[in-house]
Amino acid sequence: MQAIVTDIEGTTSSIAFVHDTLFPYARERMVDYLRAHWRDATVRTHVEEVIREAACADTPEAVGAELLRWMDADRKATPLKALQGDIWAEGYADGSLHGHVYPDTPDYLRRWAQAGLALYVYSSGSVAAQKLIFGHSLAGDLCPLFQGYFDTTIGGKKETASYRRIVDALGCPAAQILFLSDVGEELDAAAEAGLLTCQLVRDDSVVLADAHPQAADFAEVDQRFGVSA
């Protein structure tokens, strides 16, 4: 094994943190953020993509309302994820937010990095948002442990082609890359691309994917695959 690619929600970090803390934080501030940054070039790029897709009015209120509808539908759209990430960045910067990670996450990420494995993140959240969670985690700055990050700009997480692109980006054989996630459809897609897979089952809400090895935590992943042996 040369590399590990890990999901975030339900894998390194609590799903509850994302849904009960991050999403409400962005929802409450979305329209005000758009008003404050309406003419910023990067924000306009995302806003115009929303307007093109939704055919909504070119106002902060209309675009904000559309983005909230996308949040309700759990859309993985890149402009939504990017704007959420910008809002969270302000929260992390002023100390309102701290990224949740499971207690075993920092320990095993360090073990695996010290064992010579290249660590990567693949999440539906933007790369910027991923770096915020790990850079401002409850365990301190974990970003130096990772060699790269992937988000929906490389493709959807349930699409086999996305994992083939990740393999190409990593430059090592697919069979020497382990993908960790709690979502069966993501693991199916990764396996179809030739990656090793393991489903994290950290709580009872996880829908079991019996086609893949399963682990209750990173310690069990480490034992099952002999990662840091």
Side-chain angles (χ1 to χ4, degrees):
M1 191 181 304
Q2 295 187 32
I4 293 177
V5 179
T6 183
D7 174 42
I8 294 179
E9 291 182 52
T11 305
T12 66
S13 308
S14 169
I15 294 174
F17 170 68
V18 176
H19 288 271
D20 297 344
T21 300
L22 290 184
F23 284 173
Y25 189 92
R27 170 180 288 278
E28 291 168 8
R29 291 160 178 79
M30 181 64 74
V31 174
D32 286 343
Y33 181 84
L34 290 173
R35 289 180 182 133
H37 300 276
W38 192 242
R39 297 302 173 191
D40 293 0
T42 54
V43 170
R44 284 302 305 178
T45 298
H46 302 308
V47 163
E48 287 166 8
E49 188 172 345
V50 175
I51 293 170
R52 281 195 300 272
E53 180 169 343
C56 62
D58 189 352
T59 68
E61 294 74 18
V63 172
E66 186 62 32
L67 288 167
L68 295 185
R69 282 191 284 272
W70 289 8
M71 289 183 69
D72 291 339
D74 197 24
R75 288 279 305 275
K76 308 300 184 184
T78 296
L80 170 61
K81 295 301 181 181
L83 290 166
Q84 285 174 328
D86 291 342
I87 294 169
W88 295 331
E90 293 186 349
Y92 286 112
D94 67 20
S96 300
L97 294 172
H98 295 280
H100 175 271
V101 289
Y102 291 112
D104 64 323
T105 294
D107 181 28
Y108 279 92
L109 290 178
R110 292 189 182 102
R111 289 190 191 195
W112 296 339
Q114 289 168 2
L117 288 162
L119 304 181
Y120 298 86
V121 180
Y122 181 28
S123 174
S124 58
S126 68
V127 167
Q130 296 171 29
K131 290 180 178 179
L132 289 169
I133 287 178
F134 290 113
H136 298 268
S137 86
L138 295 169
D141 184 2
L142 302 178
C143 285
L145 298 173
F146 295 103
Q147 296 194 18
Y149 304 82
F150 300 97
D151 60 16
T152 55
T153 59
I154 204 163
K157 294 186 70 186
K158 298 178 182 179
E159 299 171 8
T160 300
S162 304
Y163 298 89
R164 292 188 176 128
R165 295 185 192 105
I166 289 174
V167 170
D168 290 342
L170 269 55
C172 62
Q176 295 178 12
I177 302 170
L178 173 62
F179 177 59
L180 305 176
S181 175
D182 63 322
V183 179
E185 294 90 339
E186 297 175 4
L187 295 163
D188 291 343
E192 182 70 19
L195 282 72
L196 300 170
T197 58
C198 185
Q199 183 181 34
L200 270 295
V201 185
R202 290 192 181 268
D203 61 56
D204 294 339
S205 68
V206 175
V207 177
L208 297 181
D210 293 332
H212 305 275
Q214 295 166 348
D217 52 29
F218 281 167
E220 193 170 338
V221 172
D222 194 78
Q223 293 169 1
R224 180 180 290 273
F225 290 89
V227 180
S228 61

